[in-house]
């Protein structure tokens, strides 16, 4: 252990016994602890939210879909057979999707209608995995419909009730005419996302073809691939095998604005919270300046016994670094502990104040998921340490420039 480090360590311990300097030193360290802890916790919670939202959205949309000119496919059954022969395709399902007006005895609502074959749709999407009431059955002969739990509440309908769907379709002359069909509610599902619970209904694929006047065509074929993050590459290869006139859209293209918004939100919050660490670092500057002022007589004595200004600089630089390292270490440990137990902490706060932060009927997610990323933690530690180094330079250099003759004259 060097002499400089030994003296700085002694100063750090002795300053705890001195009133105002000790108080400022403690405030600086606590500020750094809170800043690091807050940043680790918030970024971990945001990572958890992003993962939860992404998983929920990916469960409700296919990994990709393939369609053709005018967003329709002819001879879809032959195309589906070709698609299913591809090595990296786990499942596929044809679909028809468009907007229609749903009416019941008590309400009317514009919604999205998706025509599917339920056995194939379940293999590419998790939307129909949670049937709250009724059964997962779409009988073409009986013209049945599955609707989201929120939509059923809005329409005032239950199992067995009748609803009417009205959609525009083109006749033989190309003119738009309204087509209406009556359906019986056979099931009510919970998709886990209000967007789908409140605005989506499923009918049989053939019923949808009749309702939207598509004949034997479909809107496209949805795919489930073996590697979620290579969906674009896999889909493009499948499209190449089908020939010209087809194109594919993967999940990242479908949700690119949403994903971009999530990433931008995380970056902005990280920048804003990083300012807290910067403030804590400036507190270290002011605290160390006060320490240097308080230790001027000690600096003069050390200089008179032969210690050079560079070694004086090292003493106070080491002291600032030591305070920073303690704050960063304690803040990191507390941040990791809080991030790991955030759900139990929040539930305890909710039970005490009697207020729910994320009501189920308003938000997609009604809990605080957390995911700690090593890259985030290391970035926070490294960034905080750099700021501490910068904050320690000025006070240390000021200590090396103390005029010892002037100090000794006043002692």
């Amino acid at each position: 252990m060097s002499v400089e480090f030994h003296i700085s360590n002694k100063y750090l311990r002795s300053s705890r016994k001195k009133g105002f300097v000790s108080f400022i030193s403690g405030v600086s360290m606590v500020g750094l602890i809170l800043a690091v802890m807050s940043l680790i916790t918030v970024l971990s919670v945001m990572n958890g939210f992003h993962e939860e939202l992404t998983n929920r959205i990916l469960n409700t949309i296919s990994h990709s879909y393939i369609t053709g000119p005018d967003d329709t496919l002819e001879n879809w059954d032959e195309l589906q057979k070709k698609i299913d022969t591809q090595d990296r395709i786990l499942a596929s399902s044809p679909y028809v999707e468009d907007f229609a007006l749903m009416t019941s005895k008590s309400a009317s609502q514009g919604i999205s209608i998706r025509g599917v074959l339920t056995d194939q749709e379940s293999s590419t999407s998790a939307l129909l995995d949670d049937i709250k009431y009724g059964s997962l059955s779409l009988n073409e002969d009986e013209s049945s419909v599955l609707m989201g739990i929120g939509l059923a509440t809005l329409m005032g309908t239950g199992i067995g009730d009748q609803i009417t769907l009205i959609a525009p379709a083109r006749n033989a002359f190309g003119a738009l005419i309204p087509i209406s069909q009556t359906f019986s509610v056979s099931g009510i599902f919970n998709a886990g996302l209000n967007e789908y619970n409140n605005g989506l209904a499923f009918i049989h694929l053939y019923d949808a073809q009749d309702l939207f006047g598509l004949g034997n065509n479909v809107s496209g074929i949805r795919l489930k691939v073996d590697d979620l993050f290579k969906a674009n590459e896999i889909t493009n290869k499948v499209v190449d095998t089908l020939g010209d006139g087809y194109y594919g859209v993967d999940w990242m293209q479908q949700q690119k604005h949403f994903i971009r918004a999530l990433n931008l939100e995380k970056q902005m919050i990280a920048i804003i919270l990083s300012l807290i660490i910067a403030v804590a670092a400036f507190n270290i500057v002011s605290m160390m300046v006060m320490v240097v002022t308080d230790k001027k007589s000690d600096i003069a004595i050390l200089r008179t016994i032969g210690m050079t200004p560079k070694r004086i600089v090292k003493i106070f630089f080491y002291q600032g670094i030591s305070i920073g390292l303690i704050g960063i270490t304690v803040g990191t440990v507390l941040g990791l502990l809080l991030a790991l137990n955030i759900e139990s902490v929040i539930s305890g706060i909710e039970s005490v104040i009697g207020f729910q932060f994320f009501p189920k009927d308003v938000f997609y997610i009604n809990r605080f998921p957390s995911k700690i990323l090593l890259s985030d933690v290391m970035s926070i530690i490294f960034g905080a340490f750099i700021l501490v180094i910068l904050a320690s330079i000025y006070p240390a250099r000021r200590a090396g420039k103390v005029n010892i003759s002037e100090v000794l004259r006043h002692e």
Side-chain angles (χ1 to χ4, degrees), residues 230-333:
K230 293 185 178 179
N232 184 49
E233 176 187 337
I234 297 170
T235 303
N236 289 336
K237 288 183 178 179
V238 172
V239 170
D240 290 340
T241 64
L242 299 179
D244 297 333
Y246 304 102
Y247 68 92
V249 178
D250 69 299
W251 65 273
M252 294 191 74
Q253 291 173 290
Q254 296 178 60
Q255 300 292 332
K256 63 180 178 180
H257 297 298
F258 174 77
I259 294 171
R260 188 179 301 167
L262 287 181
N263 292 334
L264 181 61
E265 181 186 28
K266 180 181 176 182
Q267 292 170 6
M268 292 305 298
I269 288 182
I271 292 172
I272 292 171
L273 290 180
S274 296
L275 296 177
I276 302 177
I277 297 181
V279 172
F282 278 114
N283 285 339
I284 291 177
V285 174
S286 59
M287 180 272 298
M288 287 301 300
V289 168
M290 294 186 64
V291 170
V292 170
T293 303
D294 184 63
K295 298 293 184 182
K296 279 186 176 181
S297 58
D298 291 3
I299 294 172
I301 293 171
L302 290 172
R303 289 288 305 280
T304 56
I305 62 175
M307 186 167 280
T308 64
K310 287 186 178 180
R311 298 181 72 183
I312 296 294
V313 169
K314 286 183 180 180
I315 291 174
F316 290 93
F317 181 74
Y318 289 157
Q319 185 175 356
I321 294 296
S322 298
I323 292 173
L325 285 176
I326 294 172
I328 292 171
T329 302
V330 175
T332 300
V333 173

Side-chain angles (χ1 to χ4, degrees), residues 32-33 35-37 39-41 43 274 277 321 324-336 372-389:
L32 189 58
I33 290 171
V36 173
M37 181 182 71
L39 192 51
I40 289 176
T41 304
L43 290 185
S274 296
I277 297 181
I321 294 296
L325 285 176
I326 294 172
I328 292 171
T329 302
V330 175
T332 300
V333 173
L334 292 179
L336 292 174
I372 298 172
L373 294 180
L374 181 61
S375 58
D376 286 346
V377 176
M378 295 306 297
S379 297
I380 293 168
I381 293 174
F382 180 76
F385 186 65
I386 293 298
L387 287 175
V388 167
I389 290 176

Side-chain angles (χ1 to χ4, degrees), residues 58-114:
L58 289 179
N59 283 336
T60 57
I61 64 174
S62 58
H63 293 170
S64 62
Y65 68 85
I66 293 175
T67 187
D70 301 324
D71 293 329
T72 58
L73 285 179
E74 299 178 356
N75 302 319
W76 60 269
D77 48 349
E78 296 180 7
L79 291 174
Q80 188 179 13
K81 289 177 182 178
K82 290 182 181 179
I83 291 171
D84 289 339
T85 61
Q86 302 297 315
D87 294 335
R88 308 193 69 176
I89 302 299
L90 302 179
S92 66
S93 62
Y95 72 95
V96 171
E97 188 157 5
D98 211 332
F99 294 99
L101 178 67
M102 176 181 285
T103 63
S104 65
K105 292 180 180 180
S106 59
S108 61
Q109 180 79 14
I111 62 167
S112 177
I113 297 294
R114 186 178 298 175

Side-chain angles (χ1 to χ4, degrees), residues 95-222:
Y95 72 95
V96 171
E97 188 157 5
D98 211 332
F99 294 99
L101 178 67
M102 176 181 285
T103 63
S104 65
K105 292 180 180 180
S106 59
S108 61
Q109 180 79 14
I111 62 167
S112 177
I113 297 294
R114 186 178 298 175
V116 297
L117 303 173
T118 52
D119 55 338
Q120 296 185 30
E121 177 68 15
S122 297
S123 65
T124 58
S125 169
L127 273 175
L128 297 176
D129 285 357
D130 186 7
I131 301 296
K132 289 295 185 183
Y133 308 101
S135 61
L136 178 59
S137 63
L138 290 175
N139 194 323
E140 181 192 6
D141 298 330
E142 297 178 0
S143 296
S144 52
V145 61
L146 300 170
M147 63 174 61
I149 190 168
L151 180 59
T153 303
L154 290 171
M155 300 301 296
T157 56
I159 301 301
D161 289 345
Q162 301 290 315
I163 58 97
T164 300
L165 294 177
I166 304 172
R170 294 190 180 275
N171 59 16
F173 302 101
L176 285 174
I177 58 172
I179 295 179
S180 65
Q181 292 185 24
T182 301
F183 294 84
S184 174
V185 179
S186 62
I188 297 174
F189 64 86
N190 179 18
L193 292 174
N194 291 338
E195 176 184 355
Y196 296 101
N197 283 338
N198 298 338
L200 178 63
F202 289 88
I203 60 176
H204 196 279
L205 181 71
Y206 301 147
D207 287 332
Q209 288 174 330
D210 294 337
L211 179 65
F212 297 113
L214 293 177
N216 293 323
N217 298 345
V218 297
S219 299
I221 298 175
R222 296 152 63 84

